[in-house]
Amino acid sequence: MKLQMIGTGNAFAKKYFNNNALIEQDGFKLLIDCGITAPLALYELGIGMEELDAVLITHTHGDHVGGLEEYGFQMKFKHGRKPVLYLADTLVEPLWNHTLSGGMTQEGLDKLEDAFEVRQLRAGEVQELAPNLCVELLRTRHIAGKKSYSVILNRDVFYSADMTFDRELLETLVRDRGIRRIFHEVQLEGPGQVHTTLDELLSLPEEIQEMTKLMHYADNKDRFEGRAGKMGFLEQGEVYSI
Ligand SMILES: Nc1ccn([C@@H]2O[C@@H]3COP(=O)(O)O[C@H]3[C@H]2O)c(=O)n1
Ligand SMILES: [Zn+2]
Ligand SMILES: [Zn+2]
């Protein structure tokens, strides 16, 4: 499986695109999150939106879903097909009613299913998306009143959604569920009210830090090079074999 971050920035980053990940397995391309900057980020990498086989979203913040209107419209009006959209069953209603309906509603486009081939996922259930690619959503804490789902890929890679620190979850995933790689969001400075701080991640056991790479960071990330213990930073655009 290959991972390429089309962006590694947090919601307010200007040097980095939104934290969205392109997963490739046996030629199948899955984009995890499609934020406001995703159309430009893909364009700069030379990847056409029509090359994506599916998009999966973790939660309904703009840096994770803000590019879906363009994606849906490009696919409908330029390519004449509905793109496949994976999301938790609980996000279908808020994604359409609170995010997309304003821009996308028109005759014949009255619900999410009119614009996308919607595939609902239930947290805690493993679902095969393509040959040799399965995912499981885990509900993780981000902001009160906002549902957010992290992703387990092929049963052994944990990709965090935006989330507050959850030491118990991370330790359990590694100890009991055989997770061998962790891609985790990070807030480099300040209190982690809705995100996980670098200091919190630095308090994890070394063997967990060694399997962890950081993403969703602020524009001043370079100041923190060498200050992330055994963890490294994911770099935007680079292709990783995972
Ligand atoms: N209670 C909140 C809610 C949101 N925010 C900021 O808004 C951003 C939305 O995208 P995000 O990537 O989840 O990061 C959130 C915080 O920066 C915040 O700081 N506190
Ligand atoms: Zn975010
Ligand atoms: Zn968020």
Side-chain angles (χ1 to χ4, degrees):
M1 186 164 35
K2 291 202 180 89
L3 166 78
Q4 182 179 35
M5 301 303 294
I6 68 165
T8 51
N10 68 16
F12 305 152
K14 296 295 171 277
K15 278 171 56 181
Y16 306 107
F17 292 124
N18 297 153
N19 196 83
N20 302 165
L22 187 62
I23 300 291
E24 188 168 346
Q25 174 74 331
D26 296 349
F28 184 91
K29 289 190 176 69
L30 172 72
L31 184 66
I32 302 182
D33 287 326
C34 183
I36 300 160
T37 63
L40 182 59
L42 288 167
Y43 174 81
E44 292 210 346
L45 287 168
I47 301 167
M49 288 188 134
E50 73 283 4
E51 292 177 49
L52 303 176
D53 292 294
V55 171
L56 181 157
I57 67 148
T58 59
H59 69 296
T60 59
H61 273 147
D63 54 324
H64 302 266
V65 297
L68 284 177
E69 177 181 314
E70 178 171 343
Y71 180 46
F73 278 160
Q74 273 208 30
M75 297 307 291
K76 180 176 174 64
F77 296 115
K78 277 177 69 180
H79 304 288
R81 67 180 163 92
K82 273 192 213 176
V84 175
L85 179 63
Y86 287 98
L87 74 173
D89 46 5
T90 59
L91 295 182
V92 171
E93 189 273 332
L95 179 62
W96 182 256
N97 288 331
H98 303 162
T99 302
L100 294 176
S101 69
M104 298 193 88
T105 297
Q106 59 173 64
E107 199 176 34
L109 279 181
D110 298 311
K111 53 186 185 305
L112 193 63
E113 291 79 359
D114 292 333
F116 296 92
E117 186 65 47
V118 175
R119 309 257 169 92
Q120 297 189 24
L121 301 171
R122 283 161 60 113
E125 291 181 7
V126 178
Q127 181 158 336
E128 188 160 307
L129 307 193
N132 301 313
L133 180 62
C134 64
V135 298
E136 177 184 341
L137 297 185
L138 291 185
R139 175 97 186 257
T140 41
R141 285 188 299 273
H142 180 27
I143 293 173
K146 192 151 198 84
K147 296 188 171 80
S148 183
Y149 297 86
S150 295
V151 186
I152 294 178
L153 294 158
N154 281 355
R155 293 189 167 83
D156 60 7
V157 174
F158 177 74
Y159 180 96
S160 90
D162 292 359
M163 61 185 282
T164 52
F165 187 46
D166 192 339
R167 173 193 305 282
E168 197 185 334
L169 174 70
L170 295 170
E171 292 187 351
T172 304
L173 288 173
V174 171
R175 195 180 52 229
D176 302 335
R177 294 206 40 187
I179 293 294
R180 60 178 177 83
R181 302 209 68 163
I182 295 172
F183 301 108
H184 209 292
E185 67 118 289
V186 67
Q187 180 176 311
L188 297 169
E189 296 176 295
Q193 278 152 355
V194 304
H195 293 289
T196 298
T197 65
L198 178 58
D199 285 342
E200 287 168 328
L201 290 162
L202 283 167
S203 75
L204 288 166
E206 275 200 0
E207 65 268 25
I208 298 186
Q209 290 187 45
E210 274 165 2
M211 61 179 79
T212 301
K213 283 200 181 291
L214 306 174
M215 59 187 188
H216 201 286
Y217 42 73
D219 280 341
N220 63 357
K221 169 259 204 185
D222 285 351
R223 280 188 22 219
F224 293 83
E225 289 289 358
R227 291 165 61 186
K230 302 264 177 190
M231 300 175 287
F233 290 97
L234 282 176
E235 299 297 338
Q236 181 170 297
E238 212 166 288
V239 180
Y240 299 89
S241 286
I242 63 171

